[in-house]
Amino acid sequence: MNKPTHLDSDGKARMVNVGEKEITNRQARATVSVKLNETSFEIARENRSAKGDVITVAKLAGIQAAKKTSELIPLCHQLPLNHVEIEFEFDQSQNMIKIFSTVRCSSRTGVEMEALTACSVAALTVYDMLKAVHKDIVISDLMLLEKTGGKSGDFGRENT
């Protein structure tokens, strides 16, 4: 098992020095689920929210969040992102919106946190846009689906 990289020899938090690492192409993909009631699901899907276009606003919030990850998570490095993509999948049978993010960069460290942050903030934005209609919204199953590039190699989650 790998040891945590954000701890020094005394067990105290530290920022990892990535200065000597090779610059490689990195990609990470994450997902999160937003469970709605039937009314709020239809409002989002049909773009009928009084606050505006739920999906477009959530998409922009997710992109912005990926770019701001190092400002939100103290030990994350600031990364020059090459691309952020946010996608939405509507599951009418469960009144659920699945949000997917894909983040790419060419850097010395990965973009897993940026992908996860993008999904988180996009989901929170859906909640914010629909909370006047439905406060029992459930955000769940935030997870990294895959990552490529870097010394630790590729990762892909099975059975998602």
Side-chain angles (χ1 to χ4, degrees):
M1 177 177 248
N2 295 332
K3 295 189 313 185
T5 58
H6 287 82
L7 298 178
D8 66 16
S9 60
D10 295 324
K12 297 192 189 269
R14 71 175 175 106
M15 187 173 195
V16 175
N17 180 357
V18 297
E20 300 299 318
K21 292 174 78 177
E22 183 180 341
I23 293 174
T24 61
N25 291 324
R26 315 288 185 120
Q27 177 177 303
R29 186 163 163 79
T31 189
V32 68
S33 298
V34 183
K35 177 80 166 118
L36 305 164
N37 66 18
E38 189 175 338
T39 302
S40 58
F41 179 83
E42 290 303 322
I43 287 170
R45 191 174 68 137
E46 296 172 5
N47 192 17
R48 294 187 288 117
S49 172
K51 280 190 159 185
D53 184 344
V54 173
I55 301 306
T56 299
V57 173
K59 181 178 206 169
L60 293 173
I63 292 168
Q64 186 68 22
K67 295 175 0 180
K68 298 285 190 179
T69 298
S70 67
E71 295 176 30
L72 299 169
I73 301 174
L75 300 177
C76 283
H77 292 83
Q78 188 175 29
L79 297 176
L81 302 182
N82 297 339
H83 180 74
V84 179
E85 184 175 345
I86 311 289
E87 299 169 288
F88 298 82
E89 192 176 280
F90 292 88
D91 181 347
Q92 188 168 8
S93 68
Q94 297 186 62
N95 293 322
M96 186 177 298
I97 301 173
K98 288 203 72 157
I99 302 170
F100 298 90
S101 68
T102 303
V103 181
R104 294 184 183 97
C105 77
S106 299
S107 189
R108 291 180 164 92
T109 191
V111 287
E112 299 94 45
M113 296 310 300
E114 287 73 10
L116 290 162
T117 301
C119 279
S120 298
V121 172
L124 289 169
T125 302
V126 170
Y127 186 101
D128 181 56
M129 298 286 287
L130 295 170
K131 69 185 179 201
V133 177
H134 173 211
K135 290 188 181 13
D136 283 348
I137 297 168
V138 175
I139 298 170
S140 65
D141 299 321
L142 174 67
M143 68 184 85
L144 181 68
L145 295 174
E146 63 185 29
K147 77 93 165 166
T148 60
K151 184 179 175 183
S152 67
D154 296 348
F155 165 82
R157 184 175 298 279
E158 296 179 23
N159 303 323
T160 56

